[in-house]
Amino acid sequence: MLAALNIQNCDFSREVSAETLSRLNSLGTIKRYSTGENIFNQYDDGTSFHILLDGIVSITALRESGQSTIIDTVHKGHLFGLNSAILHRPYLVSAVADTDVVTLAIPFTNAQQMLTEHPELSLPMLRELATQTRILTNQIRQLKLQKGNERVAHYILSLSPSMTGSFVCDLNEPRRVIAQRLGMTPESLSRSIAALKAKGVIFERTSVRVKDAALLRSYCGLEVIQ
């Protein structure tokens, strides 16, 4: 019942029929993970993808030395692991539960059958993949074109619905997560936070204040794409 209830809240559920959602639900298996638990590991065989029904998941990459970084954060209602499952290739990343998590795990062999029987699923799944690709492309252009301080400014602006005037926005992620997402160490993030005070940016415990969004936008040197 939990899956049937929550799958209705997924972004793609608005684009498909109740019958298709029910069928998709029947092909999956409910999985529960505690905070800090790995949902799948880097280099595991990509046989299934997950629909996140509850909680938050970090997508992380790991070096042999043990150093890790966060590539993306997945929130309730979205898919993850889909590209590796489609290609039947190993996962290039790990998925880690940031909170207690509930997923609907769907073997891609079952999903292939679903796509044949219910082609209406193709467009929302493609849209999910396109969104993930867009996020990663944006990260690549930031890493290649912006310095650390500029990336932090860019991140702050991405949290605001307004590109002009002053604003206050919540920081929904711990600073260590923000640092990893931006390709920085916690120490370099702290230095950037201090440097951005000169640009009218004030970090507080769980929020950030910006005096002039247009000034910060100009400082980024790269258009902020929502």
Side-chain angles (χ1 to χ4, degrees):
M1 176 61 69
L2 177 64
L5 200 64
N6 281 323
I7 201 171
Q8 305 291 337
N9 297 326
C10 296
D11 284 359
F12 64 81
S13 68
R14 296 186 294 271
E15 302 180 61
V16 297
S17 66
E19 176 191 357
T20 297
L21 286 177
S22 177
R23 176 67 174 139
L24 184 63
N25 181 60
S26 71
L27 293 174
T29 303
I30 288 290
K31 302 279 189 179
R32 299 174 185 274
Y33 302 90
S34 299
T35 302
E37 191 174 355
N38 278 29
I39 297 164
F40 56 73
N41 293 300
Q42 188 170 302
Y43 306 133
D44 285 352
D45 288 337
T47 56
S48 299
F49 69 93
H50 293 257
I51 301 174
L52 185 55
L53 301 179
D54 197 27
I56 300 173
V57 170
S58 283
I59 305 301
T60 67
L62 182 70
R63 290 186 59 161
E64 289 184 5
S65 64
Q67 179 185 0
S68 66
T69 189
I70 294 174
I71 304 296
D72 195 15
T73 303
V74 183
H75 294 270
K76 184 169 69 173
H78 290 278
L79 315 180
F80 60 97
L82 183 57
N83 52 3
S84 292
I86 288 174
L87 295 171
H88 297 284
R89 301 292 298 275
Y91 297 112
L92 293 178
V93 292
S94 298
V96 183
D98 274 353
T99 63
D100 289 347
V101 158
V102 182
T103 78
L104 182 66
I106 302 176
F108 193 69
T109 50
N110 291 356
Q112 286 178 312
Q113 178 187 347
M114 273 291 300
L115 289 169
T116 301
E117 296 174 357
H118 302 274
E120 63 184 308
L121 270 175
S122 299
L123 185 57
M125 289 178 74
L126 278 172
R127 186 174 290 112
E128 189 77 20
L129 281 174
T131 299
Q132 292 171 10
T133 300
R134 184 178 175 85
I135 290 169
L136 293 176
T137 301
N138 195 35
Q139 287 187 14
I140 290 169
R141 74 188 193 119
Q142 288 177 249
L143 288 169
K144 287 183 173 288
L145 294 173
Q146 290 179 314
K147 297 176 181 178
N149 293 357
E150 294 168 339
R151 292 202 299 274
V152 177
H154 197 115
Y155 173 79
I156 294 164
L157 286 169
S158 73
L159 301 177
S160 170
S162 173
M163 288 297 167
T164 59
S166 62
F167 66 84
V168 178
C169 59
D170 292 331
L171 294 172
N172 298 320
E173 300 171 316
R175 290 192 184 185
R176 64 171 182 82
V177 174
I178 295 171
Q180 290 187 37
R181 179 190 286 276
L182 298 178
M184 306 171 74
T185 64
E187 293 77 18
S188 60
L189 175 61
S190 294
R191 288 193 293 270
S192 291
I193 288 171
L196 286 173
K197 287 182 181 179
K199 302 298 179 183
V201 179
I202 305 298
F203 275 78
E204 298 174 349
R205 186 180 179 87
T206 58
S207 64
V208 60
R209 295 177 178 272
V210 174
K211 291 181 180 179
D212 187 343
L215 174 65
L216 197 61
R217 219 168 110 199
S218 175
Y219 173 73
C220 283
L222 192 64
E223 188 63 32
V224 178
I225 299 174
Q226 300 288 357

